[in-house]
Amino acid sequence: MAAIHPPHPLRDHPNATRGVLDALWALALGLIAAYAFFVVLGAFDPGEVPGITVTVGMLLALCVLRIAVERRGRARPRRDPTATHARERRGF
C-alpha cells in the first residue's frame, strides 16, 4: 500500500529557490557595501585593484537592473481585466 504524502508548504512551494536567490543578492549587496566602506576609509585605492573594482561594478549594475525589473513587474496589473469585470458584474 502506497503512503499518501500531502504537499508540504515549504518543500513543494513553486518558488522554493526564491530564498536562495534572495540570499545571494543580499550577499552581493554586502560585498558592494564592504567595498565602498573600505574605499571611503582609504584602505585601498580603486585603481590599485582593477579586477575587484570591475567585479563590484558589475555586481552593482546587476543589482540595479534587478531592482528596476522588479519595480516594473509590480506596476503591471496582475489580474485579467475581463475576469475582474465579469466577477464585479456577477456581484462576487
Side-chain angles (χ1 to χ4, degrees):
M1 177 187 237
I4 298 175
H5 296 287
H8 190 272
L10 296 178
R11 183 185 63 224
D12 299 329
H13 194 269
N15 291 330
T17 59
R18 179 80 177 170
V20 175
L21 291 175
D22 287 343
L24 290 176
W25 285 112
L27 179 66
L29 287 174
L31 290 173
I32 293 167
Y35 176 83
F37 173 76
F38 285 116
V39 167
V40 169
L41 191 65
F44 59 87
D45 184 34
E48 294 175 359
V49 284
I52 295 174
T53 303
V54 169
T55 303
V56 169
M58 289 172 39
L59 277 176
L60 182 62
L62 287 173
C63 286
V64 168
L65 181 66
R66 177 180 181 255
I67 291 169
V69 167
E70 282 191 359
R71 292 188 95 194
R72 186 170 13 127
R74 289 183 187 155
R76 282 185 268 147
R78 298 193 183 268
R79 296 184 180 175
D80 183 20
T82 57
T84 304
H85 176 70
R87 185 175 56 250
E88 290 174 354
R89 187 184 60 209
R90 290 190 308 263
F92 59 90

